[in-house]
Amino acid sequence: EIVGYSGTATEVEVPKKIGNLSVISIGEGAFEGNTTIKSVELNTNILTIKDNAFKDCTALVSIDKFKALEEIGVSAFEGCTSLKSFKLPDAVTTIPSRCFANCTALTEIDVHKNIKGVANDALVGSGYEKSQANGPLCLGRILYSYKGNVKDIVVPEGISIIEAGAFLGNTSIEK
């Protein structure tokens, strides 16, 4: 597990091994607050990106080679204000709380058909949410939240999951 990084490189490649140990996860807060890293190339054995791993990495534009990735932690990319797009790996089936919160440049999220859950605050303050019209906020086949004070909710065609709490706090819903 990568537990921390103190370098100044703008491009980082995560090795498959450190000594005799396989690197299969990015630890909690490992890169948190780093403002110089622009790209990260994970090794193909990384299974987990833990909570806050890349939080507030404001220069991070891309992260690549995460085909084996199975889990992304809470606030893993929160505050990555330069991150523009993200392709959810096939084995990752949930997007946790605040995962992409305040990623203001993030406008494209590519999700697969196996996605099962999106926390209602996973994308709060992101470019993706800001670009959406008032009403239900959807990602793939999941309605995870709403935007604005909408009175009538129309569930878009193709939605098969409505997250618990998707309309929490909306007191203007009439039907």
Side-chain angles (χ1 to χ4, degrees):
E1 176 175 277
I2 299 293
V3 296
Y5 177 77
S6 58
T8 57
T10 58
E11 297 178 6
V12 174
E13 186 175 330
V14 176
K16 284 190 176 191
K17 288 189 173 213
I18 297 178
N20 291 330
L21 300 174
S22 293
V23 178
I24 59 168
S25 69
I26 305 297
E28 186 171 337
F31 292 88
E32 185 174 358
N34 185 299
T35 58
T36 58
I37 295 174
K38 292 183 179 180
S39 69
V40 175
E41 186 174 304
L42 300 177
N43 74 56
T44 54
N45 297 328
I46 296 290
L47 299 173
T48 307
I49 295 176
K50 294 188 177 176
D51 297 354
N52 305 310
F54 294 98
K55 184 177 181 180
D56 295 326
C57 289
T58 55
L60 185 65
V61 174
S62 67
I63 185 160
D64 297 316
K65 293 193 177 174
F66 42 70
K67 289 183 181 181
L69 191 64
E70 297 175 352
E71 184 179 359
I72 300 175
V74 171
S75 297
F77 298 99
E78 180 175 350
C80 292
T81 54
S82 297
L83 188 65
K84 294 179 182 174
S85 65
F86 193 87
K87 181 177 181 357
L88 197 68
D90 290 342
V92 175
T93 58
T94 60
I95 300 177
S97 180
R98 302 194 63 81
C99 187
F100 297 105
N102 301 314
C103 291
T104 53
L106 183 67
T107 56
E108 183 181 332
I109 301 172
D110 187 4
V111 296
H112 49 78
K113 64 181 178 178
N114 298 325
I115 188 147
K116 295 178 182 168
V118 179
N120 65 348
D121 63 348
L123 295 149
V124 68
S126 70
Y128 177 80
E129 277 198 2
K130 289 178 183 176
S131 70
Q132 305 300 306
N134 282 349
L137 295 173
C138 305
L139 194 59
R141 61 189 180 99
I142 299 174
L143 189 157
Y144 67 91
S145 193
Y146 71 93
K147 180 178 176 182
N149 291 322
V150 293
K151 292 182 178 187
D152 299 326
I153 301 295
V154 177
V155 176
E157 192 172 319
I159 296 299
S160 59
I161 299 171
I162 298 176
E163 286 289 354
F167 302 105
L168 188 66
N170 187 333
T171 57
S172 61
I173 296 175
E174 294 176 359
K175 58 180 179 172

